[in-house]
Amino acid sequence: MSRESATRIALIYPELLGTYGDGGNAIVLAQRLRWRGLRAEIVEVPAGEVVPADCDIYLLGGGEDEPQILAADGMRRNRSLSRAVSGGAAVLAVCAGYQVIGASFPAGNGRVHEGVHLVDMETRRSFDPPDVPPPPRAVGDIVVEPDQRLGLPTLYGYENHGGRTRPLPGSRGIPLGTVRLGVGDGTPARTDGIVDGKVIGTYLHGPVLAQNPALADLLLTWVHGRLAPLDAPVEADTLRRARARALAGG
């Protein structure tokens, strides 16, 4: 991509997948590009419209059950997101969005709904036998130590979900990281999320990129290659230090 062309950041179905403020991730990405003298354009894709296949980064956020079904149906019908990923685009999918980009997810009344199949993950209310009560909803702070191959510092966020997510047999990708505090995927492996190529799924709200600017820059390097160093705003550093102290009990 040339420096003259704007990086197009698609915010997919914000009316359906915008319950927890995850649209802020688009603002963070755009601003970190502009601080580097690079152009950025946020493209909001309303529910019912075809997802454009020519954006550089696609963002999906959290949502309720019925909106989640509508979002999955819309993306499966036009397959633009799948084509964009095949063409090299990056994706960050959070919570309901994380579930949607997998193979399947629960959608009320015990039904299982088909996902978009971007990553080899499946979500259920529980993976225990039917006679075992389902686990409680995961609500609260979450701290994740990223996989060392990603070169990221500790990730902080907030989770609010009832699903449990696991890789399918023979799945590709690696976990985003190991859960130090919280539930994350809710499996015995104690992991959160998936990184498969340029696709990231996670249960971290926050918005996650506001609290973790290094993760934002990882996404941007997938589009631009090596980027000029950029110090995090003082406020972001202060927030991370405060969260670390609070969660450590100090």
Side-chain angles (χ1 to χ4, degrees), residues 126-149:
S126 172
F127 293 111
D128 291 326
D131 59 336
V132 177
R137 188 173 184 86
V139 180
D141 289 300
I142 179 170
V143 179
V144 174
E145 295 298 341
D147 188 285
Q148 293 183 352
R149 287 166 285 187

Side-chain angles (χ1 to χ4, degrees), residues 28-135:
V28 173
L29 289 170
Q31 188 57 52
R32 293 187 72 79
L33 285 168
R34 291 166 183 155
W35 281 334
R36 292 179 166 97
L38 300 170
R39 295 175 57 213
E41 176 186 1
I42 297 176
V43 179
E44 291 200 10
V45 185
E49 290 195 7
V50 175
V51 176
D54 61 349
C55 292
D56 302 292
I57 302 175
Y58 294 81
L59 304 176
L60 297 82
E64 307 292 333
D65 281 358
E66 289 305 316
Q68 185 180 10
I69 294 171
L70 293 173
D73 288 346
M75 283 182 277
R76 255 196 349 270
R77 276 196 304 271
N78 65 66
R79 297 193 58 80
S80 297
L81 183 58
S82 297
R83 291 196 299 273
V85 170
S86 296
V91 174
L92 172 65
V94 176
C95 198
Y98 171 30
Q99 297 178 6
V100 162
I101 66 170
S104 57
F105 59 90
N109 299 322
R111 293 175 298 151
V112 174
H113 199 80
E114 186 180 1
V116 183
H117 298 276
L118 286 186
V119 294
D120 298 326
M121 306 292 285
E122 62 177 351
T123 301
R124 298 290 184 274
R125 183 68 183 85
S126 172
F127 293 111
D128 291 326
D131 59 336
V132 177

Side-chain angles (χ1 to χ4, degrees), residues 132-225:
V132 177
R137 188 173 184 86
V139 180
D141 289 300
I142 179 170
V143 179
V144 174
E145 295 298 341
D147 188 285
Q148 293 183 352
R149 287 166 285 187
L150 299 173
L152 295 172
T154 302
L155 300 175
Y156 297 95
Y158 190 87
E159 61 182 338
N160 185 353
H161 60 96
R164 299 296 185 265
T165 302
R166 69 182 180 186
L168 295 170
S171 63
R172 302 168 305 177
I174 60 173
L176 176 61
T178 301
V179 176
R180 196 175 80 199
L181 173 69
V183 175
D185 291 340
T187 64
R190 294 284 297 164
T191 57
D192 174 79
I194 180 73
V195 181
D196 183 5
K198 296 181 181 179
V199 178
I200 297 176
T202 180
Y203 277 115
L204 273 70
H205 294 293
V208 62
L209 300 186
Q211 294 197 58
N212 303 283
L215 181 60
D217 282 353
L218 176 63
L219 284 161
L220 294 176
T221 60
W222 289 347
V223 175
H224 285 275

